[in-house]
Amino acid sequence: MKMFSVAHKTVFVVDHCPYMAESSRQQVECDVLTKSRAQGVIPLAPVSKSLWTCAVECSMEYCRILFDVYPKDKLVNYIVSDSEFHILNTWRREDQSTHELMSALSAVGPPNPREDPECCSILHGLVAAVEALCKITELQHEKRTALMDTAERVANRGRIICLTNAKSDTHVRMLEDCIQETISEQNKLAAGSDRLMAIQQCDLVLVHIYPQGEETLVSDRPKKEISPLLTSEVHSVRAGRHLASKLNILVQQHFDLASTTITNIPMKPTLNVCEQEEQHANTSANYDVELLHHRDAHIEFFKSGDLHMAGTSTRENGVKETMTLKWCTPRTNSIELHYCTGAYRISPTDVNSRPSSCLTNFLLNGRSVLLEQPRKSGSKVISHMLSSHGGEIFLHVLNSNRSTLEDPPSISEGCGGRVTDYRITDFGEFMRDNRLTPVAESSHNPSGKLPVERAKAQLERYTRYWPMIISQTTIFNMQAVVPLANLIVKELLTEEDLLTCQKTIYNLVDMERKSDPLPISTVGSRGKGPKRDEQYRIMWNELETLVKTHAGATDRHQRVLDCIIACRSKPPEEEERKKRGRKREEREDRTEKNGSKEAEDKSWQESERLKGLLEKEDQESEVIKDSPDSPEPLNKKPRLISEDVQPPERAKGPATLLSMWTNRITVANSRKHQEFFGRAGSVNSKFELYQHLKEENGIDTHENGKAAR
């Protein structure tokens, strides 16, 4: 992709021939400001501007808007043509201002109507414009110097805007042919010069200006390709306000600008918008101000398709569009922060009007204005904000949709499911160690690397091995490994750094000899986790993986890895001691498991024995009740005192839950009732009824309860 578009260079060629002194025939009233006129005073006659004055005013307005929105990278060269060409400024940055151009134009003066028209021609200025396009600007020179090997990527393209009074369409074609020939000649000269650049593309915009009330002799023509290097378009415009409107549209097309109209701007003293100009405290009015800015300020409207909701209106027979935004009453100070997605310089369309002046002064005093989209119903949507920074006014684009900053995503919602043990603190340290800072242009690195390349290299070293989750690492959870982990990522290790790394490794060996516990994560595992030897094996493997990723950097990095490998190779007696320790741990675990298993078996056997006894008793009772030859049941005694209840013989061994519960239920039931009188005095569980009647009749009774006659 080639740098520098056509908009980088713009050359204005304004005709200064005698016919440009002709009146535009658009009258300007000079007596409108006089409200009361004394009798006998003759009113001022209206005046009209010349074609030259209209061309200069409109071209300067074009330049003003360009300098406001693009103060650096868009350049203008202004040329006046009569009997010869007059270059009013250069491509240098200090010449890019309306003040410089107005000072130069005042020295040129108006056209001389008495000058010989045959000696004057617009061709002088057009030839000088092509020559100016071949000259290298400061920005182009900087890019060519920075890209010595690929200097062809720096393109040289530009635009010529010619304001003249053409005679006919044939005259226009003659001007186009002249420019095409001049481009070919200048490209040949630029091929053999280091101070010139060949023109790769030139856009000619020819604006034919004619007085009002006359018929135009030049027809409009859209953009047309004359040659691979030249395109041309023709605009036939009446002088006066029509010319101003046409150049306003052209500057928007040429530099990708858009229009926004701020409506309902209050102009009352209570709002302190324009106190110095408001004379009547009891009156108020709302005004509109149109602003020009880069079209990216409306990109959210174009994406969402809400242009109709934003109040888009069309002017000039469908040529010019403006977005309408309302002044929002609750204004804010610049100290308040808003979620801003873009900021673009603005330029008022009518800079000298009273509303524009009041709004500009209001913003330059440090105030900010919120702008909302006009809606017929629903809640208001604040989409933009006007504020000044460093003496320049910017239109800020506010995020009208839901902000991601309001509801940040949960840290536990990671890729692969819910993860809650991120190394958040370590990541903060990682960011602090890899912060980017401005570097002085004079600073020079002996290695010859650019600062950005050194920063990328450091970030690559720090991220070669960096686990994101606490449960996935052991060494980064150990305070003893921190010195080695911080030093091994360095590009160069000193002798002192090497000794520190070796000392850290020896400390780990001592920890393993003492069997110190390690911060091993047991997430997702059953039991007590891996054994001590397995923990240290995991730790040594991870440490070796970390050092191996940096071992090829320098010889000292390799010596750190050699130290780890040497410490991991244990002597035979150390291995024998480790083996005995493992056997002892296994025996203890086996004993603990067997003990718990025997206790469980005893408890199970006791519960089964009691269950069998209860089932046997139930069966015997059922047999006794159902048999006709079974003896009479024994007399039941009243159970009034819990001490009378003899607890069942305690089974050998620990009491089970079943026996304890059965005893408790038996005691509780014995307290709930008293035995019946009849059952208490019965014989063989039988009681004779109506005994007092038999005694009165003299009937004897027997023990079995039957009468003997």
Side-chain angles (χ1 to χ4, degrees):
M1 181 179 179
K2 293 187 176 181
M3 303 179 183
F4 299 108
S5 64
V6 177
H8 176 58
K9 292 180 178 179
T10 302
V11 183
F12 263 102
V13 180
V14 183
D15 200 341
H16 195 248
C17 295
Y19 48 79
M20 292 296 291
E22 184 180 352
S23 172
S24 64
R25 299 177 187 174
Q26 180 180 355
Q27 295 183 349
V28 179
E29 296 290 341
C30 299
D31 206 28
V32 293
L33 300 179
T34 304
K35 296 182 180 179
S36 59
R37 183 184 303 110
Q39 296 182 357
V41 177
I42 301 176
L44 297 175
V47 298
S48 62
K49 302 177 183 178
S50 63
L51 297 180
W52 162 259
T53 302
C54 293
V56 169
E57 287 181 352
C58 296
S59 60
M60 291 304 300
E61 190 67 11
Y62 183 105
C63 295
R64 181 193 64 80
I65 295 173
L66 176 60
F67 294 151
D68 285 347
V69 181
Y70 298 101
K72 293 182 179 180
D73 54 344
K74 310 299 182 185
L75 307 178
V76 173
N77 196 347
Y78 206 98
I79 298 176
V80 174
S81 177
D82 43 29
S83 59
E84 58 181 356
F85 62 86
H86 307 275
I87 301 178
L88 304 187
N89 68 333
T90 63
W91 296 122
R92 294 183 303 176
R93 293 176 181 174
E94 53 267 25
D95 291 343
Q96 302 298 311
S97 67
T98 54
H99 178 72
E100 293 290 334
L101 294 178
M102 292 298 290
S103 299
L105 284 170
S106 63
V108 173
N112 185 6
R114 299 182 182 84
E115 191 174 0
D116 186 5
E118 299 297 331
C119 299
C120 301
S121 175
I122 193 65
L123 288 176
H124 303 301
L126 293 176
V127 172
V130 175
E131 295 176 355
L133 288 179
C134 291
K135 297 179 181 179
I136 302 176
T137 65
E138 295 177 354
L139 292 174
Q140 288 178 325
H141 179 70
E142 292 174 2
K143 294 297 182 181
R144 290 181 70 185
T145 305
L147 303 172
M148 293 298 295
D149 298 334
T150 58
E152 64 275 2
R153 292 181 57 191
V154 181
N156 185 32
R157 293 175 280 193
R159 178 181 290 112
I160 299 175
I161 302 177
C162 179
L163 303 180
T164 184
N165 180 266
K167 299 177 181 178
S168 61
D169 292 337
T170 305
H171 185 207
V172 171
R173 287 193 293 271
M174 184 268 294
L175 297 178
E176 294 172 348
D177 294 340
C178 177
I179 292 177
Q180 184 176 352
E181 293 177 3
T182 307
I183 290 175
S184 300
E185 295 176 0
Q186 291 297 320
N187 284 349
K188 294 178 182 179
L189 295 176
S193 174
D194 294 335
R195 299 184 178 180
L196 300 176
M197 290 183 66
I199 298 175
Q200 298 172 349
Q201 181 182 353
C202 177
D203 290 352
L204 174 63
V205 181
L206 196 147
V207 181
H208 167 65
I209 308 173
Y210 63 97
Q212 294 195 23
E214 292 187 2
E215 295 294 331
T216 178
L217 302 177
V218 179
S219 57
D220 289 343
R221 193 186 66 200
K223 183 178 289 188
K224 174 185 176 182
E225 183 176 344
I226 306 300
S227 69
L229 302 179
L230 178 64
T231 60
S232 174
E233 57 182 297
V234 180
H235 301 276
S236 182
V237 188
R238 290 193 296 270
R241 59 184 182 86
H242 301 282
L243 179 61
S245 178
K246 172 59 69 174
L247 285 183
N248 187 284
I249 295 171
L250 289 178
V251 72
Q252 295 184 48
Q253 296 175 353
H254 294 166
F255 298 99
D256 210 13
L257 303 182
S259 171
T260 296
T261 300
I262 314 300
T263 63
N264 293 341
I265 300 178
M267 304 281 285
K268 13 176 158 174
T270 55
L271 292 180
N272 295 324
V273 177
C274 191
E275 291 183 352
Q276 69 276 12
E277 295 189 11
E278 190 68 46
Q279 300 295 331
H280 303 286
N282 296 326
T283 61
S284 63
N286 293 335
Y287 295 91
D288 298 345
V289 174
E290 183 181 359
L291 306 176
L292 295 179
H293 49 80
H294 197 277
R295 70 187 307 270
D296 284 350
H298 294 163
I299 193 169
E300 294 297 330
F301 295 143
F302 291 109
K303 286 181 179 179
S304 60
D306 290 342
L307 293 177
H308 63 285
M309 300 179 66
T312 304
S313 59
T314 306
R315 301 180 182 177
E316 297 294 332
N317 298 326
V319 178
K320 179 180 178 182
E321 291 184 347
T322 181
M323 202 76 67
T324 302
L325 296 175
K326 284 182 59 178
W327 173 289
C328 189
T329 302
R331 299 179 317 279
T332 121
N333 294 326
S334 58
I335 58 175
E336 297 185 20
L337 296 178
H338 298 273
Y339 181 31
C340 177
T341 60
Y344 306 93
R345 289 181 173 86
I346 62 100
S347 178
T349 300
D350 190 0
V351 68
N352 294 321
S353 67
R354 176 174 172 264
S356 297
S357 176
C358 290
L359 178 62
T360 302
N361 293 333
F362 177 73
L363 295 172
L364 291 178
N365 287 332
R367 303 298 298 272
S368 299
V369 177
L370 295 176
L371 306 175
E372 61 175 298
Q373 302 177 17
R375 291 174 178 261
K376 295 182 180 179
S377 62
S379 61
K380 60 183 179 182
V381 178
I382 298 177
S383 58
H384 293 76
M385 180 182 71
L386 283 173
S387 183
S388 64
H389 305 285
E392 295 181 291
I393 302 175
F394 290 83
L395 178 64
H396 299 73
V397 181
L398 306 181
N399 186 24
S400 55
N401 300 323
R402 183 175 181 180
S403 171
T404 55
L405 301 179
E406 297 175 0
D407 187 13
S410 174
I411 191 68
S412 62
E413 295 294 340
C415 50
R418 296 184 65 87
V419 181
T420 58
D421 58 340
Y422 286 109
R423 298 172 54 200
I424 301 175
T425 305
D426 295 342
F427 188 67
E429 296 292 337
F430 169 80
M431 291 190 296
R432 189 176 296 109
D433 294 338
N434 292 275
R435 283 185 301 181
L436 292 177
T437 57
V439 62
E441 297 180 358
S442 59
S443 62
H444 176 68
N445 187 28
S447 62
K449 290 184 179 180
L450 295 175
V452 64
E453 298 298 332
R454 298 201 304 270
K456 290 180 180 179
Q458 175 175 328
L459 191 60
E460 189 273 333
R461 291 196 309 272
Y462 274 68
T463 55
R464 287 178 188 174
Y465 182 78
W466 203 91
M468 296 181 62
I469 302 174
I470 297 175
S471 59
Q472 292 180 349
T473 180
T474 301
I475 60 176
F476 288 102
N477 300 332
M478 300 172 57
Q479 194 65 28
V481 189
V482 171
L484 186 146
N486 292 338
L487 293 175
I488 200 65
V489 296
K490 294 175 62 175
E491 186 176 6
L492 298 174
L493 290 180
T494 63
E495 196 66 30
E496 183 179 355
D497 295 339
L498 177 60
L499 294 176
T500 303
C501 293
Q502 292 176 346
K503 183 179 179 181
T504 303
I505 297 171
Y506 297 148
N507 290 337
L508 295 176
V509 174
D510 188 56
M511 289 175 58
E512 185 178 12
R513 185 178 297 110
K514 297 177 181 178
S515 295
D516 292 341
L518 295 181
I520 297 291
S521 175
T522 58
V523 177
S525 62
R526 295 182 178 180
K528 297 186 295 184
K531 295 182 174 58
R532 195 62 50 84
D533 288 350
E534 181 66 17
Q535 294 179 7
Y536 275 94
R537 189 187 65 81
I538 295 173
M539 184 272 293
W540 284 114
N541 287 340
E542 186 179 6
L543 184 62
E544 186 174 345
T545 302
L546 171 64
V547 178
K548 274 185 177 180
T549 57
H550 303 276
T554 62
D555 181 60
R556 291 190 175 95
H557 286 83
Q558 182 64 38
R559 290 169 63 182
V560 175
L561 179 61
D562 295 341
C563 181
I564 294 176
I565 296 175
C567 291
R568 292 197 66 181
S569 58
K570 304 289 191 312
E573 56 273 12
E574 184 71 16
E575 290 294 332
E576 185 65 24
R577 189 184 66 82
K578 292 291 184 182
K579 189 179 298 183
R580 289 197 301 268
R582 285 195 296 268
K583 289 182 179 180
R584 184 173 62 254
E585 290 181 359
E586 292 176 359
R587 187 165 54 252
E588 293 175 355
D589 293 343
R590 194 181 304 113
T591 303
E592 184 179 353
K593 289 182 179 179
N594 292 337
S596 61
K597 186 175 182 181
E598 290 176 0
E600 292 176 0
D601 292 343
K602 287 182 180 180
S603 177
W604 174 258
Q605 292 174 1
E606 184 67 21
S607 63
E608 288 293 327
R609 188 178 67 82
L610 292 175
K611 183 178 180 182
L613 292 175
L614 292 174
E615 290 178 353
K616 186 176 180 181
E617 292 177 358
D618 293 341
Q619 292 175 1
E620 292 177 354
S621 63
E622 290 295 331
V623 171
I624 292 172
K625 290 179 181 179
D626 297 338
S627 175
D629 299 331
S630 61
E632 295 292 335
L634 299 176
N635 294 333
K636 294 186 178 180
K637 303 296 182 182
R639 301 174 183 178
L640 302 177
I641 305 174
S642 62
E643 285 78 1
D644 297 338
V645 181
Q646 298 294 329
E649 185 180 359
R650 182 181 296 273
K652 295 182 179 180
T656 63
L657 180 62
L658 177 60
S659 62
M660 296 171 62
W661 180 257
T662 303
N663 294 336
R664 180 181 178 185
I665 294 299
T666 303
V667 174
N669 290 338
S670 66
R671 297 175 179 175
K672 291 182 179 179
H673 70 278
Q674 185 176 358
E675 191 60 85
F676 293 114
F677 175 79
R679 183 178 295 173
S682 64
V683 178
N684 295 331
S685 298
K686 292 182 179 182
F687 183 77
E688 184 70 24
L689 300 178
Y690 311 113
Q691 293 182 12
H692 62 286
L693 294 178
K694 292 179 181 181
E695 292 176 355
E696 292 176 357
N697 296 331
I699 300 176
D700 297 333
T701 58
H702 303 279
E703 289 180 354
N704 57 3
K706 293 183 179 181
R709 295 181 181 271

